[in-house]
Amino acid sequence: MVFLLVLLSITKWLCYHIIKSCYQTAKKMRTYSFNFFDLSSKPLHQPSSFPTIMNCDNLKDRKSQTLVCDIHSILLRNHSFFPYFMLVAFEGGSIFRAFVLLCSCPILWFLSYERKLKVMIFITFCGLKINDMEMVARVVLPKFYMENINLKAYEVLVSVGCRVFFTCVPKVMVEGFVKEYLNGDDVVATELDSLGCYFTGLVGKDGLIVKDWAVMDYFGDRRPDLGIGSSCVNDHHFISCCKEAYVVSNEISPNTIMPREKYPKPLIFHDGRLAFFPTPSSTLYMFMWLPFGIPLSIYRLFLGTIVYYKYGLALVSFSGILINLKGYNISNTTKSVTNKGVLYVCTHRTLLDPVFLSMSLRKPLTTVTYSLSKVSEIMSPIKTMSLTRDRERDRETMQRLLSEGDLVVCPEGTTCREPYLLRFSSLFAELADEIVPVAMSANVSLFYGTTASGFKWLDSFLFLMNPWPCYHIEVLEKVPKEFTCAGGKSPYEVANYIQRELGETLGFECTNITRKDKYMMLAGNEGVVKEKK
């Protein structure tokens, strides 16, 4: 027995230091190296004769004015357009296309501005489906655009009544975000050539747009009231025709970062697998991690599948998974005054929520879910039952499972990555009076373990591929009887009460958005996997 404990301690020490060493080495390369790969979108810089955007203090009485500006070098704090091409290549194309784009970085650094952009367009869009690009533009790019908006430039932008954007990047990458989130009136950008339902990777017959010429063609003899540019020569020509012009400096201060509460539209839903901003150095770090991350994920899945739940928590912790458990009181969560089991009501972050709860509580639990893939069902270390969306049948199934033991439900019905809680289904409130709310949140650094439009059977695998995935679990006090159906409350009141309690615990905002709303926005369907006959 002593030998096994010593061997386990040595294994823990080795696993921890090997993973930590690889992670820190790659992180240092990401932070300090490959700065020449940042591929700035500004071709040539020179001292500006225009005042900086910080000097634009008069934001009143501008609703009748027209503003012109670019996106990637002005409105966004990060001036490089490479990360957004990488997002399209990875999320809309494949990991192989993303790898080719990354390998082109040393060549791109030596090319001129126009050639650099054309090469990136060709690698990213050649053979890419138009529908895939539309999906990325709708559910992936807005998150990264929103998180990089320059607050001061945005305040000037929203102060005017008419907003026209001019940019050299492909129109399909920016038009959706500009019109839906920034209320842009028009976008003048580079058009791409297509053949059938695929992009050819070539720009249209007009080529890359020249912004100063495009402004003159668009407005004719009129002069725009306000223009915002960068410190490059081309932008000086671009804004010189405006009645009033400002430039955005390269210095980024905390005051220019837009907080979430000032977003023009709440960012509740987004899709895609990448959880980081894919600069060249960050993407290189990701590919460096894959040879270690893939076997590590398989090892973690192996542990969770075959190891008894009482020892699973310790073993998965040795592999680098961080689990923070708070508020657990065994006397309040294991005894029931009825013959039924305890009903645990959880927030839904990933497919592994019930698994980590079972390991944390060191007790077997049963969970119910919708549209679970066969791979996930086979790999699940706890008992998992699928629901049918027939309310009566689902009620009978859950009541039977509660009579057999403790049950975990996620009444949101689907996962949400952002700090919001979706509307809780009220069905669970009708089944039990012994209800224990559980606040769960998950943090990742490389890959999201959820998707609406991708391969769902990869969800758990990708979550466990992160170097240090972290789960925060807080078991709240049992819901008082007066706030349950047995105390005279309706099922809807119980569901709303528990949603508010969990939202306050996590600091999340409660919404009335449903599972169907999420899937209709992200995937264009109701999120139900059709069974093959």
Side-chain angles (χ1 to χ4, degrees):
M1 185 65 180
V2 176
F3 173 75
L4 291 176
L5 291 175
V6 173
L7 182 62
L8 189 61
S9 299
I10 295 174
T11 304
K12 173 185 176 181
W13 185 87
L14 287 174
C15 291
Y16 175 80
H17 283 83
I18 289 173
I19 295 173
K20 184 177 180 180
S21 177
C22 296
Y23 177 75
Q24 289 181 345
T25 301
K27 189 174 181 180
K28 285 181 180 179
M29 295 188 68
R30 171 187 174 184
T31 305
Y32 300 111
S33 302
F34 300 97
N35 289 331
F36 60 89
F37 281 172
D38 280 342
L39 301 173
S40 175
S41 60
K42 299 168 291 184
L44 182 63
H45 299 270
Q46 73 173 21
S48 174
S49 59
F50 298 100
T52 66
I53 192 70
M54 304 304 295
N55 294 327
C56 184
D57 298 326
N58 183 19
L59 301 181
K60 297 180 179 180
D61 302 324
R62 289 185 178 269
K63 291 302 180 181
S64 60
Q65 295 184 354
T66 299
L67 176 142
V68 296
C69 72
D70 199 343
I71 298 177
H72 286 278
S73 60
I74 299 170
L75 193 60
L76 301 180
R77 291 181 288 109
N78 186 288
H79 289 181
S80 174
F81 44 62
F82 176 90
Y84 305 99
F85 280 96
M86 178 56 70
L87 286 167
V88 175
F90 186 92
E91 305 289 4
S94 65
I95 191 172
F96 303 105
R97 186 187 293 267
F99 183 72
V100 173
L101 182 60
L102 177 65
C103 292
S104 70
C105 286
I107 301 174
L108 294 173
W109 192 69
F110 292 100
L111 297 179
S112 65
Y113 172 73
E114 291 78 10
R115 292 183 182 275
K116 179 191 306 182
L117 189 54
K118 287 182 178 180
V119 171
M120 294 176 66
I121 290 174
F122 181 80
I123 296 174
T124 303
F125 287 92
C126 182
L128 186 69
K129 288 185 177 180
I130 296 177
N131 289 339
D132 291 339
M133 178 61 234
E134 292 175 350
M135 182 274 296
V136 174
R138 187 180 72 254
V139 302
V140 177
L141 291 178
K143 166 186 166 57
F144 295 91
Y145 282 141
M146 196 87 75
E147 292 177 348
N148 280 281
I149 288 181
N150 185 308
L151 176 58
K152 182 60 179 179
Y154 175 75
E155 290 176 346
V156 176
L157 176 75
V158 298
S159 68
V160 301
C162 181
R163 307 153 194 175
V164 183
F165 293 83
F166 295 83
T167 181
C168 299
V169 300
K171 189 174 183 177
V172 293
M173 292 178 60
V174 298
E175 185 177 29
F177 173 75
V178 164
K179 292 189 174 180
E180 182 175 355
Y181 289 87
L182 302 181
N183 294 322
D185 294 275
D186 202 358
V187 179
V188 180
T190 300
E191 299 285 354
L192 297 183
D193 190 25
S194 62
L195 184 62
C197 59
Y198 294 89
F199 291 107
T200 63
L202 304 175
V203 298
K205 59 181 181 180
D206 295 330
L208 299 176
I209 75 160
V210 180
K211 291 188 290 187
D212 49 343
W213 293 358
V215 170
M216 290 187 290
D217 291 340
Y218 188 90
F219 289 97
D221 297 332
R222 294 185 298 124
R223 294 179 61 192
D225 299 288
L226 182 62
I228 307 177
S230 65
S231 57
C232 70
V233 176
N234 289 355
D235 275 8
H236 290 183
H237 296 304
F238 167 55
I239 61 178
S240 61
C241 63
C242 301
K243 299 177 183 178
E244 184 181 359
Y246 297 92
V247 295
V248 177
S249 62
N250 295 330
E251 298 180 0
I252 299 176
S253 64
N255 294 331
T256 63
I257 300 175
M258 178 179 289
R260 178 179 291 272
E261 58 269 17
K262 291 191 176 182
Y263 282 2
K265 184 178 179 181
L267 182 64
I268 301 176
F269 297 132
H270 61 87
D271 210 9
R273 291 296 191 180
L274 295 183
F276 63 97
F277 189 61
T279 61
S281 54
S282 299
T283 308
L284 177 62
Y285 157 70
M286 179 196 72
F287 280 104
M288 289 174 56
W289 174 251
L290 288 181
F292 303 97
I294 293 175
L296 178 62
S297 180
I298 295 174
Y299 168 70
R300 289 166 171 171
L301 283 171
F302 176 77
L303 284 181
T305 303
I306 69 169
V307 177
Y308 192 50
Y309 62 86
K310 287 188 177 180
Y311 309 108
L313 182 63
L315 291 176
V316 298
S317 298
F318 295 159
S319 69
I321 299 177
L322 307 177
I323 301 179
N324 299 321
L325 179 64
K326 291 177 57 180
Y328 174 58
N329 189 332
I330 192 169
S331 63
N332 289 342
T333 57
T334 58
K335 297 180 181 180
S336 174
V337 297
T338 66
N339 294 327
K340 294 183 179 181
V342 177
L343 181 63
Y344 293 93
V345 179
C346 302
T347 55
H348 204 4
R349 298 285 106 178
T350 76
L351 194 63
L352 297 173
D353 295 339
V355 176
F356 283 112
L357 180 61
S358 177
M359 288 183 177
S360 300
L361 300 181
R362 292 181 172 86
K363 60 190 298 187
L365 300 175
T366 303
T367 186
V368 291
T369 184
Y370 295 109
S371 306
L372 185 68
S373 68
K374 289 296 182 182
V375 175
S376 300
E377 187 174 358
I378 293 172
M379 296 299 295
S380 176
I382 64 175
K383 184 178 179 180
T384 304
M385 297 291 291
S386 296
L387 299 179
T388 62
R389 297 198 175 278
D390 184 313
R391 193 175 182 85
E392 293 303 320
R393 289 178 59 186
D394 292 343
R395 185 203 307 273
E396 294 175 1
T397 300
M398 296 170 70
Q399 284 179 336
R400 175 174 56 82
L401 294 175
L402 266 175
S403 64
E404 298 172 357
D406 295 342
L407 179 65
V408 181
V409 297
C410 299
E412 289 176 278
T414 186
T415 57
C416 184
R417 300 172 179 177
E418 298 301 316
Y420 297 92
L421 293 183
L422 307 187
R423 190 179 73 186
F424 278 26
S425 170
S426 62
L427 178 59
F428 75 90
E430 306 173 13
L431 305 176
D433 300 326
E434 300 290 321
I435 302 176
V436 177
V438 181
M440 306 189 75
S441 62
N443 297 324
V444 295
S445 57
L446 284 183
F447 304 106
Y448 285 115
T450 61
T451 185
S453 56
F455 297 109
K456 296 190 70 65
W457 58 271
L458 284 174
D459 286 0
S460 300
F461 181 79
L462 285 173
F463 176 82
L464 297 176
M465 197 187 295
N466 287 281
W468 306 103
C470 180
Y471 249 99
H472 300 277
I473 304 174
E474 183 170 354
V475 183
L476 306 186
E477 293 293 332
K478 188 184 303 182
V479 177
K481 184 177 180 180
E482 59 268 23
F483 292 104
T484 65
C485 292
K489 299 292 184 180
S490 69
Y492 300 101
E493 291 175 323
V494 177
N496 292 337
Y497 168 78
I498 296 178
Q499 184 195 39
R500 288 194 301 270
E501 289 292 308
L502 292 174
E504 291 176 1
T505 301
L506 293 170
F508 290 178
E509 182 179 341
C510 297
T511 72
N512 201 34
I513 301 174
T514 65
R515 178 183 189 272
K516 181 179 177 181
D517 296 332
K518 169 189 170 180
Y519 277 90
M520 289 301 296
M521 174 186 172
L522 299 183
N525 57 60
E526 296 186 9
V528 179
V529 177
K530 296 182 180 179
E531 297 182 358
K532 295 182 179 179
K533 296 183 180 180

